[in-house]
Amino acid sequence: MKKLLALIMALAMVLSLAACGSSSSDTTTDDTDTSAAAADDTTEESADDTSASTGGQKIGISMPTKSLERWNRDGTYLQEQFEAAGYEVEVTYADNDTDQQNNDIANLIADGVDILIIAAVDGDTLSQTLADAGDIPVIAYDRLIMNSDTIDYYVSFDNYQVGVLQGQYVIDTLGLDLNDTSVSYNIEFTAGPTSDNNAGYFFNGAMDTLQDYIDAGILVIQSGKTTFEQCATNEWSTDTAMENMQNTLASYYSDGTQLDVALCSNDSTALGVAQAISTDYAGSNTVIVTGQDGDIANLANIVDGLQTMTVYKNVSDEAGVTLVLAQEILEGNEPAEELLDSLDAEAAYDTESYDNGTGIIPSYLLVPWTVTVDNLEDLVSTGLYEWDGDYLVSATDE
Ligand code: GAL
């Protein structure tokens, strides 16, 4: 019953975010609409094109999908924050479809946007379309766009650190000690898709953190799935993650072998894995399940003990950093490290880590942090969440 309630609340939250993102023109594509017409008209346009302070400059925003909570949040926060700063904004959502995202971006370019902010469905598929962007500055948002020399900046979180936090959580929670090889625990990994440049960083951050314990035999991967490719989950799909875990449980754990940890790179996959564990796992121990994002449904699972932690990313801050960066670029400046002084959120300026195949892309990387059942209140402190009974929901006055 509690779970049902949590799911209903999560759905209501996604719907309310989607609703707050729509504008008077009301032309947003709904990802759940798979009709051909969906590809044609994917933009939300702000009515405000008369701002004096910004000279009516137009911001083109291309988001990957509405099907995951976080991208609804990103699209909404970006739109709200840029509009509040006086810009005209167009937001598109690509239904996780690379062709649609290329169309979306081509349309934004044709509409004469002054800057492009893009969270790629697949970072490797946009270079041809972006070759037509000419002088329009491009910010890769959250996910790096690969093999395109038109990318000016990258705004994201420290992606490797996300995996490190997940791995460290496992070490701390199980109290692992490299000098004590008398104990061993079973762990399975669920990663994101190979098409998302972030996914490898998440996986490697976790794997590198745990590697010594695996080598020592303290952590054992019964399935033998040890590489990113073996653990990858297409489109970060909850259903695929669930099916993969069901198969792993059937093949390696149905004989009573105990599963101790399911390390999942993000919340949408953690949702599926937690589901598989509750229906298909024979053991009675609590399995440590990690995640990332802090989606409402996963926060409910953390309350209910079905997920153990999530690595939280404040995407309102990510939108805020993107706004400050875009303002500087639109004023004709070339921001670098000193931009950090103008940011409200803690971030690092990185000119080493993210090479997109054409060279290093200067990056602003925000700081993720670990959320468990013990510090959910810290989410309320962000102003983005509030309690509704035992569960967190999106704050109504966001
Ligand atoms: C990643 C993103 C994560 C997660 C995932 C699935 O690129 O960094 O926060 O949301 O996509 O959407």
Side-chain angles (χ1 to χ4, degrees):
M1 186 61 204
K2 268 187 167 183
K3 242 181 88 186
L4 184 65
L5 198 71
L7 273 174
I8 291 168
M9 288 191 313
L11 194 66
M13 190 263 158
V14 169
L15 290 175
S16 79
L17 272 170
C20 60
S22 61
S23 65
S24 49
S25 59
D26 198 24
T27 54
T28 311
T29 296
D30 184 341
D31 273 0
T32 54
D33 177 3
T34 50
S35 68
D40 292 342
D41 197 359
T42 60
T43 58
E44 293 176 1
E45 206 161 336
S46 132
D48 174 14
D49 58 0
T50 55
S51 160
S53 61
T54 59
Q57 285 170 308
K58 201 190 259 191
I59 315 296
I61 299 172
S62 169
M63 289 286 113
T65 178
K66 282 200 155 191
S67 64
L68 294 187
E69 182 188 315
R70 78 149 288 185
W71 303 111
N72 290 276
R73 283 189 183 276
D74 291 270
T76 303
Y77 296 143
L78 284 164
Q79 179 163 15
E80 285 174 356
Q81 293 183 27
F82 274 93
E83 285 182 355
Y87 295 99
E88 184 181 353
V89 179
E90 279 188 59
V91 185
T92 63
Y93 291 87
D95 201 11
N96 265 334
D97 179 333
T98 55
D99 288 344
Q100 184 166 333
Q101 186 161 45
N102 275 286
N103 282 341
D104 290 345
I105 294 168
N107 288 336
L108 291 170
I109 293 170
D111 283 351
V113 297
D114 294 287
I115 193 165
L116 281 164
I117 297 165
I118 301 168
V121 171
D122 178 337
D124 254 318
T125 61
L126 299 176
S127 54
Q128 270 197 327
T129 301
L130 286 175
D132 295 335
D135 291 338
I136 303 172
V138 181
I139 298 174
Y141 182 87
D142 203 85
R143 297 170 174 171
L144 190 57
I145 296 168
M146 307 304 289
N147 301 313
S148 167
D149 57 11
T150 57
I151 312 305
D152 295 284
Y153 290 95
Y154 178 44
V155 175
S156 193
F157 284 80
D158 184 335
N159 294 303
Y160 187 83
Q161 180 65 11
V162 170
V164 170
L165 289 174
Q166 294 168 338
Q168 194 57 49
Y169 178 85
V170 171
I171 293 168
D172 295 343
T173 308
L174 293 176
L176 303 185
D177 177 356
L178 281 173
N179 296 317
D180 181 4
T181 52
S182 66
V183 288
S184 75
Y185 298 93
N186 293 322
I187 182 169
E188 298 294 340
F189 289 79
T190 298
T194 52
S195 56
D196 180 343
N197 188 59
N198 289 354
Y201 284 86
F202 304 147
F203 182 83
N204 290 335
M207 197 48 110
D208 292 351
T209 306
L210 297 174
Q211 192 66 55
D212 286 347
Y213 299 89
I214 294 169
D215 293 344
I218 296 172
L219 289 174
V220 180
I221 306 170
Q222 294 290 346
S223 69
K225 290 180 198 155
T226 55
T227 67
F228 171 48
E229 287 74 15
Q230 285 172 316
C231 301
T233 311
N234 200 21
E235 290 188 4
W236 294 99
S237 158
T238 298
D239 287 348
T240 305
M242 181 181 73
E243 284 157 24
N244 289 345
M245 182 49 84
Q246 285 172 330
N247 290 337
T248 297
L249 290 172
S251 303
Y252 303 98
Y253 294 90
S254 60
D255 61 356
T257 302
Q258 176 164 313
L259 175 64
D260 299 291
V261 184
L263 193 137
C264 305
S265 284
N266 90 326
D267 278 353
S268 57
T269 54
L271 217 51
V273 165
Q275 181 63 35
I277 290 170
S278 54
T279 54
D280 288 49
Y281 177 50
S284 55
N285 61 302
T286 299
V287 181
I288 293 174
V289 178
T290 70
Q292 168 192 194
D293 287 332
D295 288 348
I296 295 289
N298 298 76
L299 297 176
N301 269 1
I302 288 176
V303 171
D304 289 340
L306 300 173
Q307 182 171 327
T308 329
M309 64 87 85
T310 190
V311 176
Y312 181 66
K313 293 160 104 173
N314 185 324
V315 295
S316 177
D317 285 347
E318 192 174 9
V321 171
T322 306
L323 170 63
V324 175
L325 173 62
Q327 280 173 318
E328 284 294 316
I329 298 170
L330 289 170
E331 281 168 21
N333 299 322
E334 285 183 23
E337 185 145 22
E338 79 293 337
L339 190 82
L340 297 177
D341 299 335
S342 325
L343 303 178
D344 288 334
E346 188 186 346
Y349 182 62
D350 182 315
T351 53
E352 283 169 14
S353 305
Y354 290 96
D355 186 330
N356 82 338
T358 68
I360 297 277
I361 307 298
S363 307
Y364 294 94
L365 304 175
L366 292 96
V367 182
W369 43 280
T370 297
V371 165
T372 69
V373 74
D374 296 324
N375 66 343
L376 287 170
E377 195 57 41
D378 293 348
L379 290 180
V380 177
S381 310
T382 66
L384 302 172
Y385 303 84
E386 61 191 18
W387 290 106
D388 183 3
D390 291 339
Y391 297 101
L392 285 174
V393 294
S394 229
T396 43
D397 59 349
E398 263 180 54

